[in-house]
Amino acid sequence: MPGHTIVTMPGDGIGRIVLNESLRVLDAAGFSAEYVHADIGWEFWKKEGNPLPQRTVDLIRKYKTGLFGAITSKPKEEAANELNPELRDKGYVYSSPIVGLRQLFNLDVSIRPCKTYKGNPLNFIRRGKNGAIEEPEVDVVIFRQNTEGLYSGVEWTNPPDKVYEAFLTHPRFKKNFGQVPREELSISTRIYTYKATRRILEAAFRYARNNGYRSVTLAEKPNVIRETSGMMYRLAREIQAGQYPDIELWNTNIDAQMMWLTKNPEHYGVIVAGNMFGDIVSDGFAGLIGGLGFACSAQFNDEGIGIFEPTHGSAPKYAGYPVSIVNPIAMIESACMMLDFLGEKETATRIRKAIATVIAEGKVRTYDMLKLSGSPAVINRGAASTQQMTDAIIEKL
Ligand code: NAI
Ligand code: MG
C-alpha cells in the first residue's frame, strides 16, 4: 500500500515527547507512512538565528502534511540574550515559528474540536434541578479564522503622519481621540477580508453538513463591531440561505457565548468566529472537556497544506523529568485529525475509540486527570506516565 509522507516537527520541550507518542499510536494502528523530520524551535533560534529554517519550510511545501509538537517562545530581549555568542548583535530578531508557518502558508482555517470523553474526571459538571449534578456531553467543533482580524499585526503606537491623518478623517476618531496626544495612542486594527471570511464560514458549514451537525453558530459581535463582525454575519446568512438551507445559522455575541458555554454547552455544534474570538471561545470549550491535555487542532490553507498540533505549548518545566508525566492525548487526537485529512478516517475512528475506552475504564490516568499538580512525584501517587497512557491506548487498538 503506498504510504503517505508526513513532515514531523517535534519542536521543543514536551512537544518532542508527545509527538513521538503519537507516532507509536499511528504505527500500532497500522497507519503506513514515511516520516520526514523537520527542525523547528528554540534550538534552531539559538544555533542559527532562525526558529523556522528554510529547509523546514521547503519540506512542508513539498509534502503538504505536517505533524507538529510544540515550541518554546520567549520575549524578544530574552530571545536575543540566548543566541549563540557569534550570532549576537547581528540583527537577528526572534518571532514565533508557528505564527510564521501560519503566515507563510496562509493557514487561514483553524479547527479545534472539543468533545467530552465519558468518564474523564475533568469533564465539566453543573448543578441541575433539585441540586442534581449533571454532566453535559460537549460535542463542539470550533472554526477559527487564523490569519486576519486583531492578530494580523497591523498596529501602531504613536502612529505615523499618514496613518494618523487618515484616522482623523473618521468623525468618531476625531471626536473621541482627536485631542489625545499622538504618542499616547495605541491602535491595533481588526481587518477582515471577504475571501478569508467566506472560506472559514464555508469550511464550517461544509463540516457541519458532512458530519451531521444541525447548526452553525457565529460567535462574534455584529451589533457593536458593525463592519467586521457585521460583514461576517451578512456573509454567513448568504452562505446559509444559498447553499446550506438544511443547517441552521445561530448568531451569538461572543461575550454571551462565553457565559452560555458554561450553562448549556451541549446545545452547540459547529461554532465559527474570527481570529481572536475563535481563540477565546475555543479555549473556553477546551476547559469543559479536560483542558490542555485534551485540546487538539488542525490548520489548513487553500492549497491542500494541513498542519496538526495540540494546542498546548512546550511546558518546559515538565520536559526534563526522568519519567514523563504529561498527557499525550491532545497530541494523539491531533494525529487523528491528520488521519481524517489524509482520508484515513477508519484508522482515526479506531484510535479515538481506543482513547475513549481507556478513559471510560479509568484505570490509567495521567496526573492532570487525577487533578494533581505536576511534579515527578505524581508517578508514585498513582498517575500514569506519558508512555503508560500511550501503551494503554495501543493495547485497546
Ligand atoms: P504550556 O501549554 O506549555 O503549559 C501550561 C501548563 O499546562 C503546563 O505547566 C501544564 O501544567 C499544563 N500542560 C500543558 N500541556 C500538558 C499536557 N500535555 N498534559 C498535561 N498538562 C499539560 O503553556 P506555557 O507554560 O504558557 O508556555 C510554555 C512555552 O510554550 C512558552 O515558551 C510558550 O511560548 C510556548 N507555547 C507554545 C505553543 C505552541 O507551540 N503552539 C502554544 C502555547 C505556548
Ligand atoms: Mg489560545
Side-chain angles (χ1 to χ4, degrees):
M1 175 181 140
H4 307 274
T5 302
I6 290 149
V7 180
T8 52
M9 293 169 276
D12 301 306
I14 67 164
R16 302 183 184 199
I17 297 168
V18 293
L19 188 127
N20 193 48
E21 297 301 289
S22 72
L23 298 186
R24 288 212 288 135
V25 174
L26 289 171
D27 276 351
F31 174 63
S32 134
E34 192 182 324
Y35 297 103
V36 181
H37 169 91
D39 297 334
I40 194 166
W42 203 246
E43 190 187 329
F44 304 97
W45 162 250
K46 289 202 297 191
K47 276 203 299 220
E48 303 173 21
N50 184 1
L52 178 60
Q54 184 58 39
R55 56 188 181 277
T56 295
V57 173
D58 294 342
L59 284 173
I60 296 169
R61 187 162 284 131
K62 180 163 178 201
Y63 295 114
K64 293 189 181 316
T65 306
L67 199 54
F68 174 73
I71 48 91
T72 297
S73 253
K74 296 188 188 177
K76 275 186 191 151
E77 293 74 31
E78 233 178 290
N81 291 334
E82 288 196 32
L83 269 180
N84 278 5
E86 65 272 21
L87 295 178
R88 280 189 209 153
D89 306 315
K90 298 248 162 74
Y92 291 103
V93 180
Y94 181 80
S95 67
S96 157
I98 188 69
V99 174
L101 277 179
R102 272 179 209 159
Q103 288 167 350
L104 255 169
F105 292 110
N106 190 29
L107 299 165
D108 63 332
V109 171
S110 164
I111 310 184
R112 299 183 166 197
C114 296
K115 283 185 207 206
T116 303
Y117 278 115
K118 286 208 177 92
N120 184 352
L122 300 175
N123 287 344
F124 169 72
I125 54 171
R126 74 181 163 218
R127 207 173 291 285
K129 277 185 198 149
N130 312 318
I133 298 294
E134 300 172 349
E135 192 172 308
E137 219 172 293
V138 180
D139 179 359
V140 162
V141 184
I142 292 119
F143 282 72
R144 165 189 172 191
Q145 206 297 323
N146 213 24
T147 47
E148 304 190 333
L150 264 177
Y151 296 173
S152 58
V154 182
E155 47 187 7
W156 307 267
T157 290
N158 190 8
D161 289 347
K162 282 189 176 156
V163 172
Y164 184 68
E165 281 151 25
F167 271 103
L168 277 180
T169 64
H170 196 294
R172 286 203 197 209
F173 183 89
K174 191 165 183 199
K175 178 162 170 276
N176 296 327
F177 305 106
Q179 309 306 317
V180 180
R182 218 204 293 187
E183 59 284 3
E184 291 181 20
L185 277 176
S186 290
I187 300 174
S188 301
T189 61
R190 190 178 200 259
I191 302 174
Y192 281 35
T193 64
Y194 275 56
K195 183 178 175 206
T197 307
R198 245 193 212 111
R199 253 177 62 75
I200 193 73
L201 288 166
E202 281 172 353
F205 275 105
R206 202 178 317 121
Y207 185 92
R209 179 182 281 163
N210 291 343
N211 294 277
Y213 291 89
R214 288 177 18 254
S215 66
V216 168
T217 303
L218 177 66
E220 280 274 324
K221 188 103 183 172
N223 57 337
V224 176
I225 315 176
R226 291 174 187 278
E227 300 305 327
T228 45
S229 288
M231 181 268 271
M232 193 166 191
Y233 184 35
R234 202 169 63 246
L235 289 184
R237 277 178 304 184
E238 266 175 41
I239 291 167
Q240 189 271 340
Q243 303 166 54
Y244 295 91
D246 50 318
I247 309 284
E248 284 179 40
L249 172 64
W250 299 352
N251 175 38
T252 63
N253 286 334
I254 182 65
D255 47 345
Q257 181 67 65
M258 296 310 291
M259 179 183 62
W260 284 327
L261 71 77
T262 61
K263 290 191 151 207
N264 56 358
E266 71 273 40
H267 287 186
Y268 298 96
V270 172
I271 293 189
V272 62
N275 205 341
M276 184 170 83
F277 293 163
D279 196 10
I280 292 172
V281 77
S282 59
D283 275 18
F285 273 101
L288 305 179
I289 57 114
L292 288 174
F294 293 86
C296 55
S297 77
Q299 36 195 337
F300 306 98
N301 73 3
D302 61 0
E303 291 168 352
I305 291 180
I307 293 180
F308 305 84
E309 55 164 322
T311 60
H312 64 71
S314 60
K317 63 181 177 189
Y318 299 156
Y321 284 9
V323 177
S324 172
I325 63 163
V326 295
N327 190 344
I329 291 178
M331 181 78 231
I332 297 169
E333 284 273 0
S334 305
C336 288
M337 294 186 82
M338 179 186 79
L339 292 175
D340 289 341
F341 173 71
L342 294 171
E344 305 276 353
K345 284 193 197 291
E346 185 269 334
T347 310
T349 304
R350 275 197 294 124
I351 296 173
R352 289 185 178 115
K353 278 195 182 142
I355 297 172
T357 309
V358 170
I359 295 174
E361 284 181 1
K363 287 188 278 199
V364 180
R365 288 175 169 168
T366 44
Y367 84 96
D368 52 328
M369 299 173 75
L370 297 176
K371 306 183 193 218
L372 296 170
S373 80
S375 80
V378 297
I379 299 295
N380 293 327
R381 297 174 62 193
S385 69
T386 308
Q387 282 76 14
Q388 284 170 330
M389 176 55 92
T390 311
D391 290 342
I393 293 166
I394 288 173
E395 199 188 309
K396 300 292 177 199
L397 279 170

